[in-house]
Amino acid sequence: MAEEAIARGLIAVGAGLAVGLAGIGAGLGESGIGAAAVGATAEDRGFFGLGILFTVIPETIVIFGLVIAFILMFAFH
Amino acid sequence: MLLKSKRSSWAYIVARVKVMKRRLIPSEEYRKLLNMDFNEIVRYLEETDYKREIDELAYKYSGPRLLDYALTLNLGRTYRKIMDVSFGIAKDIITTYLKRWDIWNIVTIIRGKMAGVSEEEIEEALVPVGEYTLDFYKSLIPKEIDEIVKTFEGTPYYSVLSKVGSEPLSIIEDELYKIYYHQILKERPSEFALKLFVDFIKMEIDIKNIKTILRLKREDVSAEEIMRRIIPGGFEITEEEASKLIAMSWDELVKALEGYWFSKGLEGITDKSISRIEIKFDKAWMEVVARRASNYPLSILPVLQYMVLKKIEVDNLRTLGWGKWQGIPNEEIEEQLVIL
Amino acid sequence: MLKPERMVKVSVVGPRDHFETVSDILYRLNLIHIEDPVEDEYFKLGEPFEKAGILSKSLVQLRSILSYLKLDPEKFVPKRRYREEEIKAELDRKLEEYRTEIGAKIDRIKELQEKIKALEDELKVIEPLKALGIPPRLLKGYKTIRAFVGFIRADPSPKIQSITSDFEVFLKDYGKEYVVAVFVKVEYAEEVYRVLQELGFREVSVPDIEDYDSRISEINSEISRLKEEIATLEKEIEDLKAREAELMLAIEEYLSMELEKSELPLKSLVSKYAFIIVGYIPARKFNEFKSAVESETGGKVTVEMIEDEEFEPPTKLNNPPGVRNFEILTLTYTTPKYHEIDPTAIMAIFFPIFFGAMLGDVGYGAIITVLCLFLKRIFKTEGWQRLLNIGVYAGIVSIFFGFIYGECFGPFVSVEEGKIEFFKHFLWPILHAIGVHKFEPVFDRVSPMGIKVLLFVTIVVGIFKILWGFILGFYTVLKEHGFKEAMLEKGCWILGVLGLACIIFGFAYNLGVFHYFFGVGPAEGSGIPPLPLPGVVKGWQQGLNFFYLAALPLILIWFVLFVMGEVPKMGAMGVILAVELLTWFGQIVSYARILAIGLSSVYIAFVMNFIGVGLIDPQGMCIPVLGVIVLIIGHLINLILGVLDPGLQSLRLHYVEFFTKFLEGGGVLYKPFGRIKKFLE
C-alpha cells in the first residue's frame, strides 16, 4: 500500500517536472524570439501577427510536457 | 547564468534594423528614378521612408534645398532612432560609431562660415547624432570661427582645430578623422562583440586608405604627402603596408591589390575615372560587410551595415536629385551612384 | 475557392501618340496588373509624360499641408464627393490658395514657436541668476576682474584657494546643481577656469538687462501673447480644414490619379514609335478589356493574349464573401503563388472550430461576439471589419462549444437535488429558479475520462490535418512536376504519417481507448503493454495488435521512397534526414494544445469562481463587494487570455502544422493599374 502511494507520488512529481521543465525551456526559447518580434513590430505594425506567432512557436515544448504528464498520470497509475 | 543571455538584446535591435533595411530603396527602382524629373523624384520619396520629412518641409521649401534638408534630417533622425532604441553594449558601440558626425558637423560649420553660407542653411546640413546636441551647434553657428575653435578647448579635437586658417580645411578634416579612428582603435577589445566592431572600423580604414592612395597616385602627389593622409591602424593596410604600396608604380600597385580582402572589387581598375574606381571599392566593401553581417547575425554588424547602407542611399539620392536639377544626362548620373 | 482567380497574360501595343489615351483607358478599366518590364536593345523604359513634373510638385506641397492638418485619405470618411470637372475648374486657384493661406499660416506658427522657445531659453538663464540674487550689471563688464557665471556640481572655493586667495564665490542650490558666480583677477582667470571645468562648470552668458523680475514678467507676457496668436492662427486653419477637407482630399485624389496615369511609361517599354505594356488580367475579363481598349482607340492599339514560357501571374484570391474575411489570416502568413492552393476556405472552417473548441464557453463566447459586433461600428476600415467578422464567427462557435462542454464563465457543476456542491456556479440560482435541478454537460472536458477522450480526438484531428496538408502538397507538386516528383516529395510522407498514425492507434488500442469508443479491443487496465518493443517490454507479443502490424509495411515503403527521393539530392548522408518523421510526430501531438489551452482557461475560471463565490456566499466570508471585484477582474483577465491564446494557437496550428506542407508562398497580390475613387464621383 505504502509503496503504491509512493509510486503515485513519484508519478505526480514526474508529471510536474515534465510540465515545469518544459516551461522553462520554452521560456528561454521565447525570450530571443520575443525580443526580435517586438523589435520588428515596433518598426512595422504589419509584423504584429507574424511576430506573436513566431513567439509562441516554442510553446509546443510545453504541450509535449503536458502530454507526457497526461500519459504519466493516466497510463501508468 | 542562462537567464543573463545577451541574445535577446541583440535580437531586438537587429530585428528592428532588418525591418528598416527592407524599407531602403531597392536597386531596381533607381532605373525608374533616373527616368523621372526632379519634382517626381521628390514626390517618389514622399511615398517612401522620407515621407515625414518631406511632408514637414514641403509647404515651405522646394527644389534642391527641400531635397537636401529632407535627406539630412531623415538621416539624422534614423541614426538617432537606432541609438535611442538600442541598449547595453550595442548602444555604446553605436554611440562611438556615430561620433564621426561630430567631425562632419564641426567641419560643415567652419566651411559654411568660411564660404559665407547663411546660418539657416548651415543648420540644415547638420546631422546632430554624435556627442554634441543640435542646440550646441546652433549656439556655435553665429560665432566667429576662432570663437568656435575655442569652444573645443579641452577636447581631443582642439589641437587640430587650432590650425584652422593656417592649413587647408581638407587636411584638418583628415586629421580630425584620424583622431576619431584613433579613439576607437586605442582600446584593446576584450569582448567579442567589440572586436567585431573594431574589425569593421579597421576595414573601413583600409577602404579609405586605398582610395586615398589611388587618388593621390593619379594626381602624382609625392609619397610623403600621401603618407601624411594615411589613417593608421588599418585591417590589412597598416602604415607599413601603405608605405610599400605608395612606393610602387601604378601597374605594380594594381597587381599588389589583388591579395587583399577587398580584391573582389578590383576588376577593371584600369578605368580612367577615379570616382568610378571609388564606387567599385565601396561596392566591394559593402559585399564583405554584408557577408560578415550574415555570418554574425546577432552582433553589431547588421546594425552597422544598415547605417552604412542608409548613408549610401542618402548620398545616392542627393547625387540623383542634384544631377537632375542641373540637367546632367542620365548616364553620367548613373555612374556616380553606388547601386548595390 | 481553393484556387486563385484564373489570369491571362496580355500585351497592349500601340503607336506612341496614343500612349496617353491608352493610359486613361487602362486606368479607368482598373483591370490590368502591369509587370515590370526588362529593357532590351530597341525597347527602353519610358519616361513619364510631360505633366508628371508639375503634378508632382503640386502634390508634394498639398500632401505636406494635408499632413500638417492631419488629414489622412485612408482614414477620412467623406461627407460629399466632387465631380472631376469641378476639381479641374478650381484646381490652380485652390492650390494657390492653400499654398498662400495655409502654408503661410503654418510658417508663421512655426516662427512663433521658435520665438517662444528662445524666450523660454532666456527664462532658463534668468531664473537661476535671480535665485543667485546678484543684479546683472554686477555680473559683468569688469576690466581687471573676470566673472564666471554658470552652473557647477560642487563648491569650487577650496580649489580656487590653492590658486589665489583673492577671489569671491557666490553659490546657491539650484535643483541638482548649484548656480555660481566667481570673481577673480584676470591674471588667474585661466587657471581658475580649468578648476571650474573639473567640477563640471557650464557658463551662462549674462543677459543685458536691468532687473530680473521685470524681465521675467516681460517674457511671460510676451509668451502668452505669442501663444494667443498661435491659437488664433490654429483656429483659422481649423476652420479652413472643416470647410475644405473634402475638397482638399478630392484634389489630392485627382492629382494622384493624374500622376499615376502619367507615370505609366515607367512600367512600359517604348521604342521611337511604339509602346508595349505587358501584364495580367482575370481571364473572364479578357474580352471586355480587349474590346474596350481597341474600340476606344479606333483599332490603333491592339490587345493580344500571350502564351509565354514566363507565366507568373499575380494572385487574386477568389473566395465567397463569408470566407473572404479569412484572407487576412492567410495573407499574414504569405501570399500564395498563382499556381498554389489558397487555403483560406479550409481555414475559414477550422479556425473558428479550433478556437471554439479551445475557449468553449457560453459566457466568454457571447462577450466576444457582442464586443466584435460593437467594434465593427467604430472601426470602419476594411482590415478591421474583416478581423472583427472573424471574431464574430469565432465567438459564435465558442458559444456552441460552450453548450457542449457545459461552461459559462467556467464549468457548470452537476447538481443533485438537495445536495449543493461547495463550489457553486453563479448561474445556478437562476437555473434552480426556473426549475432545472439537474444538468450535466454533453461532454465534460474536465473529468479524467473527458481529458483522455479529448486528447485522443485532438490527436486524430492532428493526424487528419497533417495528412490533408500532405495530400494538398502532393496535388500541387503533381500539377507542376508530375507524378514521380510528387510521390517522392510528398507521397512518401503521406505513407510515413499513416505509419505513425497506426503506431499511435496501436498504442491507444492497447490502452483501451477503442474499447471505450467502439467496444472493441482490450478494456482499460487490462495489463497489456501499450508499446510492444521486442526485448525491452516483457510480454510484448501480447501488445502486438492490428495497427502495429499495419504500421510496419507503411513505414518500410515510406523509408524506401524517402531514400529514393533524398539520396540523389543530398548524397548518402541524406538518409539522416529521415528523422524528420519525428517532426511530424511532434506536429501531430502538437494538436493536443486544443485540449491543453482549453483546460488552462477552464481552471483559471474555476479558481476565480471558487474564490469569488466563496467571498460572496452568505454562509462563507460574506464580502460580496470584494467577491464581485474578484469575479469581474478574474474573468476579464481570463477573457483576454481566452481571446489571445486560442486565437494565436489556432492560427499557429494552421500556419506551422498545416500550411508548411503545401504552401510555399511569396506570390504577388493582384494590383491592377487604376484605383477605386473615394473622394471623386
Side-chain angles (χ1 to χ4, degrees), chain C residues 442-444 447-454 456-457 508-525:
Chain C
V442 181
F443 175 82
D444 183 7
S447 69
M449 202 56 222
I451 294 179
K452 278 189 220 175
V453 172
L454 203 55
F456 183 69
V457 171
Y509 184 85
N510 286 356
L511 279 183
V513 176
F514 282 70
H515 183 81
Y516 174 81
F517 277 104
F518 314 110
V520 290
E524 204 190 342

Side-chain angles (χ1 to χ4, degrees), chain A:
Chain A
M1 210 49 211
E3 257 175 51
E4 198 181 313
I6 289 173
R8 273 172 181 273
L10 285 178
I11 287 173
V13 170
L17 281 177
V19 178
L21 290 177
I24 293 178
L28 284 177
E30 276 175 20
S31 72
I33 306 176
V38 171
T41 311
E43 221 32 71
D44 183 349
R45 293 277 193 84
F47 277 94
F48 181 70
L50 272 188
I52 289 194
L53 196 78
F54 282 131
T55 312
V56 298
I57 279 183
E59 225 148 84
T60 311
I61 304 170
V62 186
I63 306 290
F64 288 172
L66 205 69
V67 170
I68 298 291
F70 282 144
I71 291 175
L72 280 176
M73 298 293 280
F74 296 137
F76 290 89
H77 61 245

Side-chain angles (χ1 to χ4, degrees), chain B residues 139-336:
Chain B
S139 73
L140 288 189
I141 295 173
K143 292 184 185 167
E144 295 299 316
I145 291 176
D146 43 329
E147 273 183 89
I148 295 174
V149 170
K150 237 183 142 208
T151 20
F152 288 94
E153 213 176 321
T155 69
Y157 304 130
Y158 183 67
S159 62
V160 175
L161 279 175
S162 59
K163 284 185 257 175
V164 170
S166 56
E167 295 241 30
L169 202 53
S170 65
I171 300 277
I172 289 174
E173 191 176 355
D174 277 5
E175 294 289 318
L176 287 174
Y177 279 114
K178 276 189 199 172
I179 296 170
Y180 163 78
Y181 285 118
H182 178 72
Q183 300 277 350
I184 294 176
L185 297 181
K186 72 178 176 201
E187 275 160 52
R188 302 269 129 240
S190 49
E191 258 182 279
F192 187 62
L194 271 179
K195 189 179 173 322
L196 286 176
F197 170 60
V198 170
D199 282 352
F200 174 89
I201 292 293
K202 285 182 166 183
M203 288 170 129
E204 187 184 12
I205 294 176
D206 272 5
I207 294 290
K208 282 203 167 195
N209 280 345
I210 198 69
K211 281 186 190 169
T212 310
I213 294 174
L214 288 171
R215 191 176 60 245
L216 296 184
K217 279 289 244 194
R218 256 292 152 69
E219 291 166 13
D220 285 324
V221 176
S222 75
E224 277 164 53
E225 189 57 29
I226 300 178
M227 211 46 217
R228 262 192 71 190
R229 309 284 288 264
I230 293 294
I231 303 165
F235 191 68
E236 284 177 1
I237 305 184
T238 53
E239 275 179 296
E240 209 176 310
E241 284 284 315
S243 66
K244 275 189 216 157
L245 288 174
I246 294 168
M248 295 177 188
S249 73
W250 180 266
D251 291 337
E252 280 175 326
L253 176 61
V254 170
K255 234 191 164 114
L257 287 181
E258 276 169 22
Y260 293 103
W261 60 267
F262 46 77
S263 61
K264 247 191 102 188
L266 301 186
E267 299 97 39
I269 197 153
T270 46
D271 209 309
K272 282 283 169 284
S273 144
I274 198 77
S275 65
R276 250 179 288 177
I277 296 177
E278 291 193 346
I279 286 173
K280 279 209 172 104
F281 275 108
D282 282 338
K283 286 185 183 174
W285 180 43
M286 283 325 291
E287 262 174 45
V288 175
V289 169
R291 204 164 54 232
R292 285 178 65 87
S294 64
N295 285 349
Y296 302 100
L298 288 183
S299 75
I300 195 67
L301 293 180
V303 184
L304 293 173
Q305 183 200 8
Y306 171 75
M307 292 209 276
V308 179
L309 285 175
K310 178 78 189 175
K311 169 86 168 45
I312 291 177
E313 177 179 290
V314 165
D315 288 345
N316 276 343
L317 292 172
R318 187 170 286 134
T319 313
L320 184 69
W322 275 98
K324 282 286 175 183
W325 184 257
Q326 291 166 338
I328 296 169
N330 280 356
E331 298 74 44
E332 276 175 49
I333 300 177
E334 199 174 356
E335 277 176 13
Q336 305 288 324

Side-chain angles (χ1 to χ4, degrees), chain C residues 22-34 253 256-261 264 267 289 670-677:
Chain C
V22 168
S23 174
D24 279 342
I25 299 169
L26 295 185
Y27 200 83
R28 200 192 64 231
L29 290 173
N30 195 12
L31 275 178
I32 185 167
H33 175 105
I34 300 172
E253 186 166 73
S256 303
M257 281 168 56
E258 286 303 309
L259 187 83
E260 278 165 31
K261 282 188 215 167
L264 176 65
K267 294 173 166 186
F289 181 77
Y670 173 69
K671 208 167 158 261
F673 179 66
R675 79 155 70 193
I676 298 160
K677 290 179 216 164

Side-chain angles (χ1 to χ4, degrees), chain B residues 31-32 35-37 39-40 42-43 46-47 54-60 62 66 135 138 153 330, chain C residues 36 39 45-48 52-53 56-57 59-61 63-64 67 103 106-107 110 117 259 263 266:
Chain B
R31 268 310 292 138
K32 287 186 187 169
N35 273 13
M36 296 181 183
D37 81 353
N39 286 318
E40 285 178 82
V42 174
R43 199 235 53 243
E46 198 266 344
E47 290 164 6
I54 295 182
D55 276 351
E56 264 173 39
L57 303 171
Y59 75 91
K60 183 175 177 189
S62 65
L66 166 64
D135 283 336
K138 271 191 188 168
E153 213 176 321
N330 280 356
Chain C
D36 268 336
E39 295 182 300
L45 213 59
E47 285 187 16
S56 292
K57 200 171 173 187
L59 205 49
V60 167
Q61 276 177 344
R63 282 181 186 166
S64 165
S67 99
I106 298 174
D107 212 20
K110 296 231 163 125
K117 188 164 176 283
L259 187 83
E263 284 195 337
L266 289 174

